[in-house]
Amino acid sequence: MKSAMKQNQRIILDQLAREQYQRIYLQGKNGELSCPVCNEKVRLFLGIQKHPHFYHIKYPEKACPEPILEELEPVFVERNGFRIPQGRTIIETTKSSSLHRPAKSVVCTIPFTKIESQAHFNQYPYLRQLAVNGVKLDKSQAAAVVETEGSLLVLAGAGSGKTRVLTARTAYMIDVKKIDPRTIMLVTFTSKAAGEMKNRLLSYPEIKKEQINKLVTGTFHSIFYRILMFHEGSNWSSERLLKKDWQRVKILKDAGKEIDLSEKEFSYDLALQQIGFWKNSLLFPHEVKPASDWEEKAVFLYKQYEEYKCQEGLFDFDDMLIGCFQLLSSTPALLELYQNRFQYFLIDEFQDINKVQFELVKLLSGKHKNVCAVGDDDQAIYSFRGSDPSYLLEFEKDFPSAKTVFLEENYRSSHEIVSAANNMISKNKIRRIKKMKAQFESETPLLLFFPFDEEEEATMIVTDIQEKIVQGATPSDFAILYRTNAGSRAIFERLASSNLPFKIDLDSEAFYERRIVKSIFSFLKISLHEDDHQALSDILPILFLKQSVLKDIRAESILKDCSNIEALSHLKTKHAFQEKKLKKTVQLIRSLKFSSPLQAIETIEKDIGFLDFLKKRGNESNQQDKGSDDLKDLKVAAKSFDSIQALLSHAEHMSAMNKEIKNLGKHFTEAISLSTIHRAKGLEYKNVYIIGAVDGSLPHDYALDSSRNGDFSALEEERRLFYVAMTRAKHQLQISVPQNRRGKKAHPTRFLTPLTYKKK
């Protein structure tokens, strides 16, 4: 059905401006639309695989014939006791240049060939024994298991069973090779992964619990911290550990006072992240060459931070690895002791190691050189925290006699998904060439869909999930992946207003709790309530005023019997131009309450000078998470509200929902997963939606800027990130390509070009 009624107005879908679809959808959800024929309530369907249409709420399959306008029954109104017919008007519509674009299947041109993955090795009875016990290995996996002497690089593509290889290899070394488990170090990137491997080993034949307990397993931090504690326990007591970010930030803030850095003007959280990057790269304060004014300040804080920790005898998590590296490097006898103790190294996720981790492995393995590195350079996505895939790419340079095994059988994803992921990642120039092969094909092709914007994107996905659940799917079958947490705002809000269970990352920050968003809200709040003391305090840094002026403002408000915001306009400073600007700013703030939320935010952004504040504070120096991005996302959200109070109430409700979902998510066994792509690495789901697949989002703006300046490394990492997202899907992958993003026309991500371009 292509038409509906709202009061006396007829809405004709084919004549409706494209950007109005989401608004009409919400009107239907609120019960404001009716069928022009039978007058029953209708809604607008916005899904992925069907065209937009109106449907009856009570009887979705009911199809009333499309009426001609003249055939509609007239509406009568009472006037002076007479019933007078009143004509129905057509809602004002204009043909939109951005028409609805139907979803597009990505046709897989490579025929699927079933490959017999089970290999029979007569010379290795142990492998046959494993197969009997359910641990089946293909030819490449078996080669990685039995090659125990010397250095080995196992290039384990997505879904290739690397965990199975690591556990089977460990069992083989202990049971067949009779290697003392105390000489084996198994390093993983999470404690959870280490625990899972030990549990798996318990199911292997002939492997006893006491043998597993003798293995040295864990993360880099847990293993090397134990070494530090054993030799220098008094210096590395856990009581001296700076466990919380706020503890470290406080040290930086105290140091920042020496160069007059305001707590609210300078981004200390970003400085802490940058210091961690330098430390993991083994760059100490005197070795850093700052590339900007912001980095100069960060280097100063880094130096003061290290000096303070030294004076107080404190340390942070990064110091655990640096301290152990320095201890072993400076004590040859101790190094030799551990080189003799640890003769075999199994390193998981080798593409993600940083410089200090690599140097530790190289030091300890220097004598026996039995290093088994397992990883996939196509899944290296953590450069922002110091990880460097070059250690995997150039493995043979550091271990010249190393052998290489390729695991190219993908046991997770369908042939259609694997083929598309192969085509996409092949455009990276700096990588190990490999071609993953799937073990099964799916009846469902990879699908691209084209919502108008972020709001409609969320609606289409939730509608699609609801349809699939009605058809028998369960909520845990679905994952929605995005580039940054801020990109999840619309989908979070749509799910929160549905009856679908979902869960989010425990450490993900609610959009409306982000510092930039809260700063904007402070202006909105004080425009509505001019004596809001907290809001006044929060806007002072943005006006480049210190908190000490608060007492002067309050005194002025008492003397002149006026509100705090009016008292701000009477504030005396040392500069006449600043006083004049404050008077103008106060007028602007007081006028906000008469504007729409979007107009108010734009006034704060441009006329009050919020963007200037962001640049000075340093938020724009963080390439991957610019403060102005939050501002753009907030403007998109604000379009849906008619009043500032409605927006503020909605934000408060969504923040409360975020906390509630985090608490409930711990107990959900059946829930849709919302996650950044980074967080989803290593996980898998039956159905995956990737949202925001447009240039500027994925790849991120900062990567595009770098490529324009001739540096393509960031762009290649973004492509790897897209590859990781694609290969989380087992049976169905749907990629959203919104036509507009943050209020502007968007262009499909360049990463999709190899999948959509047809050769002539």
Side-chain angles (χ1 to χ4, degrees):
M1 198 163 66
K2 292 293 184 180
S3 62
M5 300 298 297
K6 184 190 177 189
Q7 297 175 343
N8 295 329
Q9 294 180 315
R10 185 179 179 189
I11 302 168
I12 302 175
L13 201 56
D14 289 341
Q15 296 179 8
L16 193 67
R18 183 69 178 84
E19 58 268 25
Q20 297 297 320
Y21 280 28
Q22 178 65 25
R23 182 174 62 83
I24 300 300
Y25 166 82
L26 292 174
Q27 289 174 352
K29 193 174 179 181
N30 294 333
E32 299 175 27
L33 304 181
S34 61
C35 174
V37 177
C38 67
N39 208 35
E40 290 181 3
K41 296 294 183 185
V42 297
R43 286 185 183 176
L44 176 62
F45 176 90
L46 281 179
I48 292 177
Q49 301 198 45
K50 298 177 186 174
H51 282 267
H53 61 274
F54 293 104
Y55 67 95
H56 294 78
I57 297 174
K58 284 188 177 180
Y59 307 104
E61 302 304 320
K62 182 179 178 180
C64 290
E66 292 287 347
I68 300 170
L69 186 62
E70 288 74 13
E71 294 178 350
L72 294 174
E73 294 182 7
V75 174
F76 291 91
V77 295
E78 292 281 344
R79 286 183 187 166
N80 301 321
F82 295 95
R83 294 178 73 243
I84 301 174
Q86 178 173 311
R88 296 180 188 258
T89 59
I90 300 174
I91 192 168
E92 290 186 12
T93 61
T94 54
K95 279 275 188 180
S96 172
S97 59
S98 178
L99 298 174
H100 171 74
R101 186 177 173 187
K104 177 181 178 181
S105 297
V106 176
V107 179
C108 182
T109 57
I110 302 171
F112 172 69
T113 305
K114 174 65 178 173
I115 299 173
E116 181 58 47
S117 62
Q118 179 61 33
H120 300 284
F121 283 79
N122 293 327
Q123 68 270 43
Y124 300 116
Y126 184 75
L127 300 186
R128 291 200 301 274
Q129 185 183 357
L130 289 184
V132 170
N133 284 273
V135 183
K136 298 179 180 180
L137 302 171
D138 62 37
K139 186 175 181 179
S140 297
Q141 290 173 333
V145 166
V146 301
E147 194 68 53
T148 60
E149 302 304 311
S151 296
L152 178 70
L153 176 62
V154 180
L155 286 166
S160 63
K162 67 180 180 65
T163 303
R164 173 168 293 197
V165 166
L166 279 168
T167 50
R169 179 184 171 91
T170 305
Y172 181 81
M173 291 168 70
I174 295 171
D175 192 22
V176 178
K177 291 291 187 175
K178 305 302 179 185
I179 293 170
D180 185 346
R182 289 174 296 186
T183 66
I184 300 172
M185 182 185 289
L186 174 56
V187 186
T188 62
F189 265 74
T190 65
S191 299
K192 182 182 177 183
E196 287 175 355
M197 286 191 190
K198 291 173 83 171
N199 286 333
R200 280 203 196 187
L201 280 168
L202 282 172
S203 66
Y204 279 64
E206 307 302 325
I207 298 296
K208 298 178 175 57
K209 189 171 184 179
E210 54 266 27
Q211 291 174 307
I212 297 173
N213 290 338
K214 290 177 182 177
L215 289 168
V216 177
T217 63
T219 63
F220 275 101
H221 285 86
S222 67
I223 291 172
F224 291 105
Y225 180 55
R226 277 180 269 168
I227 293 176
L228 278 177
M229 279 294 292
F230 185 78
H231 295 284
E232 297 183 347
S234 59
N235 296 332
W236 297 93
S237 167
S238 60
E239 295 174 356
R240 299 174 181 267
L241 174 63
L242 295 166
K243 297 178 182 178
K244 305 292 185 182
D245 277 353
W246 68 263
Q247 295 172 306
R248 299 192 283 276
V249 168
K250 184 179 184 304
I251 298 171
L252 296 187
K253 287 180 177 179
D254 289 340
K257 292 175 183 177
E258 294 185 29
I259 52 174
D260 202 29
L261 285 183
S262 166
E263 290 187 14
K264 293 193 176 181
E265 289 179 19
F266 185 79
S267 47
Y268 284 98
D269 50 345
L270 302 183
L272 186 64
Q273 182 178 315
Q274 182 63 53
I275 289 169
F277 175 86
W278 284 328
K279 293 180 74 169
N280 286 323
S281 303
L282 283 179
L283 280 173
F284 300 104
H286 65 281
E287 298 171 316
V288 176
K289 296 178 180 178
S292 65
D293 177 62
W294 184 86
E295 281 197 3
E296 281 187 18
K297 295 183 176 71
V299 171
F300 172 82
L301 296 178
Y302 181 16
K303 182 174 181 294
Q304 299 298 105
Y305 175 71
E306 292 301 309
E307 288 179 358
Y308 178 85
K309 286 195 291 103
C310 183
Q311 291 169 5
E312 300 297 323
L314 302 172
F315 65 96
D316 59 25
F317 286 101
D318 297 327
D319 292 325
M320 293 177 179
L321 299 185
I322 294 172
C324 196
F325 173 69
Q326 291 173 336
L327 175 65
L328 295 174
S329 300
S330 61
T331 319
L334 190 62
L335 175 59
E336 185 178 8
L337 174 71
Y338 280 103
Q339 285 178 334
N340 290 330
R341 163 71 192 278
F342 297 117
Q343 299 177 24
Y344 296 89
F345 296 85
L346 284 76
I347 317 293
D348 192 15
E349 304 287 7
F350 198 76
Q351 77 279 352
D352 292 332
I353 70 169
N354 56 41
K355 184 173 179 59
V356 65
Q357 291 167 343
F358 177 76
E359 292 299 336
L360 279 165
V361 171
K362 198 173 178 184
L363 264 181
L364 289 179
S365 65
K367 185 172 183 179
H368 297 283
K369 302 188 185 302
N370 294 321
V371 176
C372 175
V374 182
D376 180 12
D377 53 298
D378 287 336
Q379 298 185 69
I381 58 173
Y382 293 113
S383 67
F384 63 90
R385 64 186 190 196
S387 298
D388 188 348
S390 68
Y391 297 122
L392 182 147
L393 292 166
E394 301 172 3
F395 188 78
E396 293 87 349
K397 287 185 180 180
D398 297 292
F399 302 94
S401 60
K403 297 178 181 178
T404 304
V405 173
F406 288 82
L407 304 184
E408 295 184 317
E409 303 295 330
N410 184 307
Y411 297 95
R412 174 191 300 147
S413 306
S414 70
H415 172 66
E416 292 78 5
I417 294 169
V418 171
S419 297
N422 283 342
N423 288 340
M424 192 276 301
I425 197 61
S426 68
K427 299 305 175 184
N428 266 4
K429 295 189 177 359
I430 302 174
R431 65 185 288 262
R432 299 263 187 165
I433 304 300
K434 62 185 84 70
K435 277 282 186 180
M436 300 301 296
K437 297 178 283 292
Q439 294 297 303
F440 66 95
E441 61 180 337
S442 172
E443 297 177 358
T444 309
L446 185 153
L447 202 66
L448 308 180
F449 63 101
F450 309 92
F452 179 77
D453 60 8
E454 302 95 323
E455 299 295 333
E456 191 178 285
E457 175 182 66
T459 296
M460 292 172 77
I461 290 172
V462 170
T463 299
D464 194 64
I465 292 175
Q466 287 171 328
E467 281 190 301
K468 286 182 168 64
I469 287 176
V470 168
Q471 295 165 5
T474 58
S476 61
D477 289 340
F478 303 96
I480 302 166
L481 307 182
Y482 32 85
R483 175 62 180 81
T484 62
N485 274 314
S488 67
R489 177 199 57 80
I491 190 67
F492 177 90
E493 293 181 4
R494 207 69 75 251
L495 282 169
S497 63
S498 74
N499 59 353
L500 296 172
F502 68 100
K503 58 186 178 182
I504 57 177
D505 295 333
L506 291 178
D507 60 349
S508 66
E509 187 179 25
F511 176 76
Y512 296 108
E513 292 297 313
R514 293 174 74 86
R515 182 176 299 188
I516 303 305
V517 176
K518 290 178 77 173
S519 296
I520 292 290
F521 282 175
S522 294
F523 283 98
L524 301 181
K525 288 176 181 178
I526 204 164
S527 74
L528 298 179
H529 308 286
E530 295 191 359
D531 284 321
D532 189 324
H533 294 293
Q534 185 58 53
L536 177 64
S537 174
D538 290 342
I539 70 171
L540 291 181
I542 301 151
L543 304 178
F544 301 105
L545 295 170
K546 296 184 181 297
Q547 293 295 315
S548 57
V549 305
L550 273 174
K551 61 179 184 297
D552 298 327
I553 294 171
R554 286 167 184 162
E556 192 73 16
S557 71
I558 294 170
L559 288 172
K560 288 191 165 58
D561 191 24
C562 62
S563 67
N564 283 338
I565 195 67
E566 186 178 342
L568 180 61
S569 66
H570 301 301
L571 187 68
K572 299 297 179 184
T573 70
K574 296 178 181 178
H575 308 285
F577 78 90
Q578 190 178 24
E579 292 176 11
K580 184 178 179 182
K581 187 176 180 181
L582 274 178
K583 284 181 170 59
K584 181 183 177 183
T585 298
V586 167
Q587 291 176 353
L588 288 169
I589 293 172
R590 300 183 88 174
S591 71
L592 294 177
K593 60 178 171 286
F594 303 112
S595 307
S596 70
L598 179 59
Q599 292 170 334
I601 293 168
E602 288 178 339
T603 299
I604 297 165
E605 176 187 22
K606 298 169 185 174
D607 300 333
I608 293 178
F610 193 80
L611 276 180
D612 294 335
F613 163 74
L614 288 182
K615 290 173 184 175
K616 183 176 179 183
R617 183 179 180 273
N619 286 76
E620 298 305 275
S621 67
N622 181 14
Q623 295 179 316
Q624 296 194 50
D625 197 9
K626 290 184 177 180
S628 57
D629 289 348
D630 287 347
L631 203 51
K632 293 170 188 172
D633 289 329
L634 180 59
K635 288 196 287 187
V636 173
K639 287 181 182 178
S640 301
F641 299 92
D642 297 325
S643 70
I644 289 173
Q645 187 57 58
L647 172 60
L648 292 174
S649 297
H650 171 76
E652 186 177 347
H653 177 59
M654 285 299 108
S655 294
M657 283 291 293
N658 185 277
K659 293 176 184 175
E660 185 178 343
I661 293 298
K662 283 181 181 178
N663 291 329
L664 290 174
K666 301 172 188 174
H667 311 293
F668 281 154
T669 54
E670 281 296 335
I672 300 161
S673 292
L674 265 63
S675 175
T676 62
I677 302 170
H678 284 97
R679 285 283 182 181
K681 186 173 176 292
L683 303 176
E684 58 184 40
Y685 306 90
K686 189 173 181 180
N687 303 297
V688 167
Y689 302 87
I690 302 174
I691 67 175
V694 294
D695 279 352
S697 173
L698 189 59
H700 196 282
D701 277 322
Y702 91 95
L704 297 175
D705 290 341
S706 296
S707 67
R708 293 184 193 107
N709 295 323
D711 180 4
F712 295 94
S713 60
L715 192 61
E716 293 222 338
E717 178 157 335
E718 291 289 296
R719 188 178 278 109
R720 295 195 294 268
L721 193 62
F722 201 77
Y723 176 78
V724 167
M726 292 178 72
T727 54
R728 297 314 93 198
K730 295 163 71 175
H731 293 279
Q732 186 167 27
L733 175 62
Q734 299 184 90
I735 301 174
S736 170
V737 187
Q739 298 171 55
N740 296 273
R741 176 175 177 263
R742 291 175 174 159
K744 294 184 178 180
K745 182 175 175 56
H747 300 281
T749 173
R750 59 197 63 201
F751 299 155
L752 291 174
T753 302
L755 312 185
T756 55
Y757 176 72
K758 293 182 179 178
K759 294 182 180 179
K760 294 182 180 179

